[in-house]
Amino acid sequence: MAIRIVRIPALSDNYIWLVHEPDSGETIVVDPSEAEPVLAEADRAGWRIGAIWNTHWHPDHTGGNAAIKAAHGATVIAPAAEAARIPTADHLVGEGDRVALGAVEAVVMETPAHTAGHISFHLPAEQALFCGDTMFAMGCGRLFEGSAEQMHAALGRFAALPPETRVYCAHEYTLSNARYARHAEPDNDAIVERLETVERAREAGEATVPTTIALERATNPFLRAATAEQLAQRRAAKDSFRG
Ligand code: ZN
Ligand code: FE
């Protein structure tokens, strides 16, 4: 049976992903910024959270670790390169490591740029990607600890995943990203169309995430950047864009 992925909105614009594998009954949570809504959702579903998967150390991705560990005895799986900044970590992982969710396997991809040790979790059999703050729908993370070269490499790896792969990013930034995308690529009809779809969805209070690799290949100006230099230029432009 396919895994179930529940989107839990948290803080002002975070998404926490609660993932359940029905055959084994195992449940994990990706990037819990806070514990309360996660524990409430798990209670409602009758799921015990066995593990927490962190993509990077930022508090809006790890803030719920301690309380979820205390409540469910969960094991925290975190990037080895950020161990010192995630004191709740139990199991450290890096490029190519495999993490099990029941019968389903996640492969760890090192995707540094937003933070120096940022990782993503790819579930090939489920065609799902949890990419934290590396890529967003129509956008990418800010370059706090890494370079445009690193971000270009990470997004290039995402672009090479099967197009139907669903992408579970950690923030609802799509409207702002879509407005910048239209500015960056004014002749891209797919971007103009998606901007309209996103505007309608946000007016109705609906989420625009998950996205897919196919959609990002058509409409994400950062993933579409031909070179690291172009990505750097677009990232700097977006940082100050008021659209
Ligand atoms: Zn972050
Ligand atoms: Fe974040």
Side-chain angles (χ1 to χ4, degrees):
M1 220 190 299
I3 55 171
R4 287 189 48 198
I5 303 179
V6 179
R7 179 183 50 233
I8 303 173
L11 305 182
S12 58
D13 51 33
N14 277 80
Y15 289 132
I16 302 169
W17 303 102
L18 187 64
V19 188
H20 180 73
E21 202 276 287
D23 293 333
S24 65
E26 286 183 27
T27 304
I28 63 100
V29 64
V30 183
D31 283 354
S33 46
E34 47 183 351
E36 293 73 19
V38 176
L39 296 174
E41 189 62 44
D43 268 3
R44 202 164 18 243
W47 297 341
R48 191 190 75 83
I49 300 168
I52 297 166
W53 295 358
N54 289 149
T55 62
H56 65 295
W57 66 268
H58 284 164
D60 66 308
H61 298 256
T62 56
N65 281 7
I68 295 170
K69 280 179 83 161
H72 285 226
T75 299
V76 175
I77 295 173
E82 298 186 356
R85 303 181 97 162
I86 308 180
T88 46
D90 298 299
H91 182 55
L92 300 172
V93 293
E95 180 66 34
D97 284 341
R98 277 143 212 275
V99 178
L101 164 60
V104 174
E105 192 171 66
V107 182
V108 175
M109 302 171 74
E110 289 184 355
T111 55
H114 176 69
T115 63
H118 196 297
I119 58 174
S120 300
F121 297 90
H122 179 220
L123 285 57
E126 298 286 333
Q127 302 205 311
L129 174 72
F130 296 93
C131 63
D133 286 357
T134 298
M135 181 167 76
F136 300 116
M138 307 185 84
C140 74
R142 287 182 185 249
L143 303 174
F144 288 126
E145 300 175 4
S147 65
E149 287 72 21
Q150 287 175 314
M151 182 60 83
H152 185 64
L155 297 183
R157 292 181 69 190
F158 292 165
L161 295 175
E164 51 283 355
T165 304
R166 282 158 300 138
V167 180
Y168 299 85
C169 59
H171 289 273
E172 177 64 62
Y173 289 159
T174 318
L175 182 55
S176 150
N177 288 338
R179 288 179 175 148
Y180 171 72
R182 183 181 54 181
H183 170 80
E185 294 190 33
D187 300 330
N188 183 328
D189 292 342
I191 287 178
V192 174
E193 238 173 77
R194 193 176 182 190
L195 171 59
E196 285 168 16
T197 305
V198 167
E199 279 174 339
R200 273 200 303 275
R202 295 308 293 153
E203 275 163 24
E206 292 163 9
T208 64
V209 174
T211 176
T212 65
I213 293 296
L215 252 183
E216 296 314 305
R217 286 176 62 165
T219 64
N220 186 320
F222 300 94
L223 182 136
R224 293 167 57 77
T227 61
E229 291 67 34
Q230 188 178 35
L231 189 151
Q233 179 268 321
R234 288 181 169 183
R235 185 61 265 178
K238 171 68 170 72
D239 286 349
S240 58
F241 184 71
R242 298 285 173 270

